[in-house]
Amino acid sequence: MSKDRVTTATFRKYHAEGKKITMLTAYDYPMAKLVDAAGIDAILVGDSLGNVVLGYGSTIPVTMDDMVHHVKAVARGVQRAMVVADMPFLSYHVSREESLRNAGRLLQETGAQAVKMEGGREIAETVRAITGAGIPVMGHLGLTPQSIYQMGGYKVQGKDEEAARKLLEDARALEKAGAFSVVLECVPTPLAKLITESIGIPTIGIGAGPYCSGQVLVTQDMLGFYGQFSPKFVKRYANLHETIMQGLQSYRKEVESGAFPGPEHGFGMDEEVLKKLY
Ligand code: KIV
């Protein structure tokens, strides 16, 4: 492992220094290379793969094999960032053994350095078993898309006292079980602040305000890859949809009109050779 590689120790160091941790998603080699070259600290191969790349309506259909395939491609493009692989739906609920085997597979077969798991106290023992096997675990609380049918939609979590207390206790349970950090998704800003101040591991926010120890977004969302709706918490740093559309439409028009390819895009050959063919 190169000495520049971001590890759980880097997370601890940044957290202690108050330096914000940056994380973005990637699902393939070219985007992973770009995100890594931009100096982002961690790359999450999220099961948002299902929505963003595979065209599913949710993360539920994403399988272990899908994750292994995409995490491998991402890991091949990364030199510095920590690669975090999402454990997909039901890959860590059936039994402790199966959870351990699946987490192990994500590290051993793909080149990821950590796994991410959704849930709080109900998965704490599984988190303990996985971290006990030397596999770093990033927790994920708040809006957990694998439970979307139970939650009844993509809504802000922890708004009433009971739900807020549960999130706080879940974060403490994950820390106690050995998680090295925890994603807080769609949590009110003051609650995310309280959780961040109440636990000893870094929080990574998405729709959780500025007081988290770091931030994560879906790269395609923040680069405006899809022209349509994106959630309130996403800031757009580019408009790739428009740039790509312009390029694609110009290509179509130029092929149709004969403007492309021009002489500079073709290859010549010896006139004598050509004559012999006629
Ligand atoms: O799957 C994912 O991309 C995620 C992030 C949104 C945190 O879990």
Side-chain angles (χ1 to χ4, degrees):
M1 187 174 66
S2 114
K3 68 175 179 34
D4 296 329
R5 191 91 206 196
V6 175
T7 64
T8 53
T10 321
F11 268 52
R12 280 194 296 277
K13 181 172 179 286
Y14 284 11
H15 188 224
E17 292 169 352
K19 180 169 158 49
K20 295 282 186 184
I21 298 163
T22 54
M23 181 157 94
L24 284 173
T25 63
Y27 314 97
D28 58 22
Y29 175 81
M31 190 60 92
K33 256 179 104 73
L34 285 167
V35 174
D36 191 45
I40 299 298
D41 299 316
I43 297 184
L44 171 66
V45 190
D47 59 356
S48 49
L49 168 74
N51 309 81
V52 180
V53 170
L54 299 181
Y56 296 131
S58 75
T59 61
I60 309 287
V62 176
T63 65
M64 272 298 297
D65 287 343
D66 291 333
M67 289 306 301
V68 166
H69 181 73
H70 285 268
V71 182
K72 272 180 168 174
V74 166
R76 285 192 288 266
V78 176
Q79 286 180 350
R80 176 183 171 271
M82 177 197 288
V83 176
V84 182
D86 236 344
M87 294 197 69
F89 182 68
L90 229 53
S91 66
Y92 50 102
H93 294 96
V94 176
S95 70
R96 191 78 39 86
E97 261 176 42
E98 193 177 305
S99 310
L100 204 49
R101 207 161 281 129
N102 282 331
R105 203 179 153 205
L106 283 172
L107 256 67
Q108 201 166 35
E109 291 182 29
T110 69
Q113 286 93 47
V115 299
K116 178 168 82 56
M117 296 160 64
E118 295 182 6
R121 278 162 294 178
E122 70 283 6
I123 62 156
E125 284 314 307
T126 308
V127 171
R128 191 184 304 282
I130 293 173
T131 56
I135 301 170
V137 173
M138 179 179 277
H140 183 161
L141 295 172
L143 199 171
T144 47
Q146 290 173 14
S147 316
I148 201 63
Y149 297 128
Q150 205 169 40
M151 291 182 157
Y154 295 90
K155 297 177 192 157
V156 178
Q157 302 295 309
K159 284 172 94 170
D160 62 42
E161 185 184 337
E162 192 189 342
R165 272 191 200 289
K166 182 180 179 318
L167 279 180
L168 192 54
E169 280 162 25
D170 281 344
R172 289 190 175 123
L174 288 175
E175 177 183 13
K176 215 161 147 212
F180 73 97
S181 63
V182 57
V183 168
L184 300 178
E185 179 166 355
C186 287
V187 171
T189 299
L191 178 59
K193 181 172 185 282
L194 177 64
I195 294 173
T196 303
E197 290 165 354
S198 303
I199 59 175
I201 55 174
T203 56
I204 309 293
I206 173 164
Y211 303 107
C212 295
S213 324
Q215 297 290 328
V216 60
L217 284 175
V218 168
T219 303
Q220 277 77 357
D221 286 344
M222 54 82 76
L223 293 181
F225 190 86
Y226 295 105
Q228 67 239 40
F229 161 85
S230 68
K232 173 182 164 155
F233 56 77
V234 174
K235 179 171 176 183
R236 286 202 175 187
Y237 290 85
N239 190 348
L240 281 195
H241 180 82
E242 202 176 298
T243 308
I244 291 172
M245 249 326 171
Q246 275 168 4
L248 296 174
Q249 286 171 346
S250 298
Y251 168 77
R252 177 176 60 78
K253 284 181 192 146
E254 290 201 359
V255 169
E256 285 170 357
S257 71
F260 177 82
E264 70 276 26
H265 303 117
F267 303 96
M269 70 182 284
D270 191 323
E271 287 287 328
E272 293 307 313
V273 175
L274 188 60
K275 263 189 214 154
K276 288 182 192 152
L277 301 177
Y278 279 93

